[in-house]
Amino acid sequence: KTFDRGHVWRLSEGQVVQGSSAPEFSGDPKKSNPEEALLVALASCHMLTFLTIAALKKLVVESYDDQPVAELGKNEKGKMMITRLTLRPKVVFSGEAIPTPDAVDEIHRKAKENCFIGNSLLSPVVLESRY
């Protein structure tokens, strides 16, 4: 329990992220942890897919904000895992064509269906769209 959990993630084009385990597992709270990185990857993938669909529909997205949450728990074998990931995107549109809430939900549905990070996960991904 006394070893340093700090490490470095080297991403494309020389980006560097300081990593550690989560604070609950003796990690450094000032550094990113793998569970957080998985959640951010999912939220980013969903957002980029959503923005692509919106652009194809010629919709202008003024802002996109998400407050995603990952829940830890145990699977049926008693092993720790992320048991649920919740995305809470709030999207603001501008321009001449403002979609209805149902149309926004449909874009989110398509984004969820086509996000390859989400399609790679075993745990359920829940969308709580905010208007």
Side-chain angles (χ1 to χ4, degrees):
K1 293 189 173 196
T2 60
F3 69 93
D4 181 5
R5 286 151 175 82
H7 56 278
V8 175
W9 302 337
R10 297 191 192 283
L11 307 175
S12 64
E13 301 298 318
Q15 296 177 64
V16 175
V17 176
Q18 298 296 317
S20 183
S21 59
E24 299 83 3
F25 300 99
S26 304
D28 184 342
K30 295 178 184 171
K31 297 179 179 178
S32 297
N33 62 68
E35 297 82 13
E36 187 176 58
L38 178 66
L39 181 61
V40 169
L42 172 66
S44 179
C45 182
H46 182 86
M47 178 190 71
L48 292 170
T49 307
F50 181 96
L51 294 175
T52 297
I53 296 166
L56 291 170
K57 293 181 173 293
K58 301 191 183 334
L59 297 171
V60 178
V61 174
E62 188 70 28
S63 65
Y64 184 107
D65 179 58
D66 197 352
Q67 302 295 320
V69 176
E71 297 174 30
L72 289 177
K74 292 187 177 183
N75 65 15
E76 63 279 351
K77 295 179 182 177
K79 301 292 184 181
M80 288 298 293
M81 67 175 288
I82 295 174
T83 56
R84 177 181 164 128
L85 299 113
T86 303
L87 302 178
R88 297 181 174 139
K90 180 178 181 182
V91 184
V92 176
F93 294 88
S94 63
E96 295 178 21
I98 305 296
T100 66
D102 286 343
V104 174
D105 287 345
E106 180 62 14
I107 297 170
H108 278 301
R109 186 193 66 72
K110 287 181 179 177
K112 182 180 177 186
E113 185 178 281
N114 289 288
C115 169
F116 54 87
I117 300 292
N119 289 337
S120 301
L121 300 173
L122 296 175
S123 301
V125 175
V126 178
L127 270 166
E128 295 177 358
S129 185
R130 303 175 295 149
Y131 300 102

